[in-house]
Amino acid sequence: MNFHVKNNVYWVGKIDWELRRFHGDEYSTHRGSSYNSYLIKEDKVALIDTAWKPFAKEYVENLQGEIDLKKIDFVIANHGEVDHSGALPELMRLIPDTPIYCTANGVKSLKGQYHQDWNFKVVKTGDRLSLGSKELVFIEATMLHWPDSMMCYLTEDNILFSNDAFGQHYASELMYNDLVDQNELWAECIKYYANILTPFSSFVTKKINEVLALNLPVDYICTSHGVIWRDNPAQIIKKYLEWADSYKENQITIIYDTMWDSTRQMAEYIIQGIRESDNRVNIKMLNLAKSDKNDVITEIFKSKAILAGSPTVNKGILTSLAAMLEEVRGLAFKNKKAACFGSYGWSGESVRMLNELVKNAGFELVNDGLKVLWNPDSEAVKQCIEFGKSFAQMTK
Ligand code: FEO
């Protein structure tokens, strides 16, 4: 399937309806994804990015239906990650001398992965490539989200080819942001930001401000995953600036795991306390053993505070909590508060360990936590409710 985008610009990518796990097993893609590639047929012809390796043959065959490959003057590799470069070996086998425009780091990542000495042309921010009456302007986007990442801008048509930035893992043949279900779209946008881009938030802010300072009119943002932004593309830029700025909503998320329900009961009494103290805060209670990891990360990203709960097992905590807090440490969320809780039968180390992990993950601990011996009795129930009330007050 190919798709006319605007004037002489065509989408020649691949919609992957079946994708459910991305980055190995790291990212859940409940709604599939797409690998967007664009063909610009001006006096000179440029191809921007390709598709993921499993679709390499299909991608090239489809492209041949759109153009004689020998007519492609320039290949632009905005980013070397395999979901965008995976079809390059298949393509370059057929047009081996065609120049590939990428950053200096792009050469390293492409050579490192494919071990081919293609005809690389290194570009940097501000370099221009003439396609005839229009030009491609290159904009390095280092660490958004790889060292090699780059965007490019098509003059006259005012299209920003943003690669991963502003994308979503979202399969839809409707193609445009204004045509798809808005709840689905924004849920996928924030999940993508929370799970992939959060560690690079300072780069996001800097790069967006740098691009805005260029005063380039942007009519379309053609991303490398998901929909094309054509209806008020500034809206996703504005959202990125918000998300990059220590984002939080009025939400508390309880992440926990439980062996025999005692820690779960604690979580529910804590919620009762939060609710008695604050009837507006949004509360999410997520059992990590039963929840999708990336959905949980998205909820934590949205939260102003979290509560982490685990019973003590073998003088430690349940591994679901340990794994999640390690993930969250790497994502480096900012400006969020936390407290910990858990039940125990004899030694009772879990809360102390959770406190350390939560602190190391960059959260501000608001108290020493709450531990309850065996199942909560009436006194412990009161403690949990009070704990919830005080947490709500301290995180208001
Ligand atoms: Fe969509 Fe960083 O690759």
Side-chain angles (χ1 to χ4, degrees):
M1 176 193 121
N2 295 330
F3 187 84
H4 178 234
V5 177
K6 183 181 185 186
N7 297 336
N8 297 320
V9 179
Y10 298 82
W11 179 94
V12 290
K14 172 67 191 170
I15 296 178
D16 189 351
W17 291 97
E18 287 191 351
L19 188 75
R20 289 297 175 270
R21 309 295 308 177
F22 187 71
H23 277 166
D25 200 35
E26 270 302 292
Y27 190 108
S28 60
T29 48
H30 307 313
R31 298 183 175 99
S33 190
S34 67
Y35 317 107
N36 299 340
S37 170
Y38 300 93
L39 187 68
I40 308 173
K41 294 197 269 189
E42 293 293 332
D43 295 344
K44 296 285 187 182
V45 175
L47 177 71
I48 299 181
D49 294 322
T50 63
W52 188 27
K53 190 176 172 187
F55 300 105
K57 267 194 172 310
E58 185 180 333
Y59 167 81
V60 171
E61 281 167 18
N62 182 56
L63 186 61
Q64 284 170 317
E66 187 64 43
I67 194 162
D68 174 357
L69 299 184
K70 295 198 167 39
K71 292 193 173 150
I72 297 174
D73 296 290
F74 316 116
V75 173
I76 316 296
N78 273 335
H79 175 32
E81 197 165 8
V82 72
D83 48 329
H84 309 295
S85 67
L88 267 182
E90 182 68 18
L91 178 69
M92 299 313 289
R93 198 171 56 77
L94 302 170
I95 47 170
D97 299 325
T98 307
I100 298 177
Y101 287 74
C102 60
T103 60
N105 282 322
V107 178
K108 287 185 200 163
S109 68
L110 292 171
K111 277 193 175 176
Q113 292 175 96
Y114 303 114
H115 311 137
Q116 297 288 325
D117 205 12
W118 290 318
N119 179 13
F120 293 109
K121 303 282 184 200
V122 171
V123 289
K124 49 189 189 325
T125 298
D127 286 352
R128 289 169 172 255
L129 180 63
S130 173
L131 305 181
S133 61
K134 300 173 188 173
E135 287 181 310
L136 275 174
V137 183
F138 298 102
I139 304 161
E140 290 167 278
T142 313
M143 296 318 294
L144 287 180
H145 67 129
W146 271 22
D148 68 5
S149 297
M150 173 174 89
M151 305 181 192
C152 52
Y153 175 82
L154 181 62
T155 59
E156 308 295 320
D157 287 335
N158 304 337
I159 300 177
L160 179 68
F161 296 94
S162 63
N163 195 260
D164 279 331
F166 312 125
Q168 335 84 45
H169 287 302
Y170 184 33
S172 173
E173 289 192 351
L174 290 170
M175 302 303 288
Y176 290 117
N177 73 299
D178 51 313
L179 298 184
V180 298
D181 181 299
Q182 296 300 292
N183 291 331
E184 288 185 354
L185 172 63
W186 285 105
E188 293 303 335
C189 285
I190 195 168
K191 177 179 176 178
Y192 187 94
Y193 190 94
N195 282 272
I196 298 175
L197 288 161
T198 308
F200 310 110
S201 284
S202 60
F203 297 99
V204 170
T205 310
K206 195 163 162 256
K207 180 52 61 179
I208 289 180
N209 287 329
E210 194 184 307
V211 173
L212 291 178
L214 297 174
N215 275 325
L216 299 171
V218 175
D219 294 342
Y220 284 40
I221 296 178
C222 289
T223 65
S224 63
H225 297 291
V227 298
I228 294 166
W229 297 90
R230 70 168 177 189
D231 169 48
N232 184 18
Q235 63 182 305
I236 186 65
I237 297 174
K238 186 164 165 267
K239 272 289 170 204
Y240 264 46
L241 287 172
E242 278 175 35
W243 291 336
D245 188 18
S246 306
Y247 184 71
K248 59 183 178 184
E249 298 176 11
N250 188 20
Q251 176 172 319
I252 293 172
T253 297
I254 301 178
I255 54 170
Y256 73 102
D257 199 348
T258 192
M259 290 174 74
W260 295 110
D261 260 359
S262 177
T263 299
R264 179 187 63 78
Q265 288 175 34
M266 288 182 74
E268 297 206 9
Y269 289 122
I270 291 169
I271 287 179
Q272 188 179 324
I274 295 171
R275 189 52 77 224
E276 284 177 19
S277 179
D278 182 343
N279 62 9
R280 298 192 76 88
V281 63
N282 189 19
I283 302 170
K284 294 279 169 73
M285 175 170 152
L286 300 169
N287 181 329
L288 296 186
K290 301 179 182 184
S291 305
D292 178 273
K293 177 183 78 173
N294 306 103
D295 292 340
V296 173
I297 287 170
T298 309
E299 294 305 332
I300 294 174
F301 175 68
K302 287 155 66 178
S303 299
K304 63 181 180 180
I306 65 161
L307 286 150
S310 170
T312 295
V313 55
N314 297 334
K315 300 186 180 173
I317 59 174
L318 288 172
T319 53
S320 60
L321 264 296
M324 177 55 69
L325 291 172
E326 169 55 20
E327 287 265 351
V328 169
R329 184 199 58 74
L331 289 167
F333 292 139
K334 301 254 180 325
N335 199 21
K336 298 186 190 298
K337 295 181 176 172
C340 304
F341 65 97
S343 67
Y344 68 105
W346 47 102
S347 57
E349 289 89 347
S350 70
V351 171
R352 180 176 53 76
M353 287 187 70
L354 284 171
N355 280 348
E356 279 170 28
L357 291 172
V358 159
K359 219 161 35 177
N360 283 341
F363 290 80
E364 181 195 334
L365 265 185
V366 299
N367 60 35
D368 293 335
L370 176 67
K371 57 184 195 178
V372 162
L373 184 61
W374 299 111
N375 288 341
D377 59 13
S378 56
E379 188 48 39
V381 166
K382 276 191 213 154
Q383 285 179 350
C384 289
I385 293 171
E386 284 310 312
F387 185 77
K389 280 187 189 171
S390 124
F391 188 72
Q393 287 303 321
M394 284 186 282
T395 56
K396 251 192 179 160

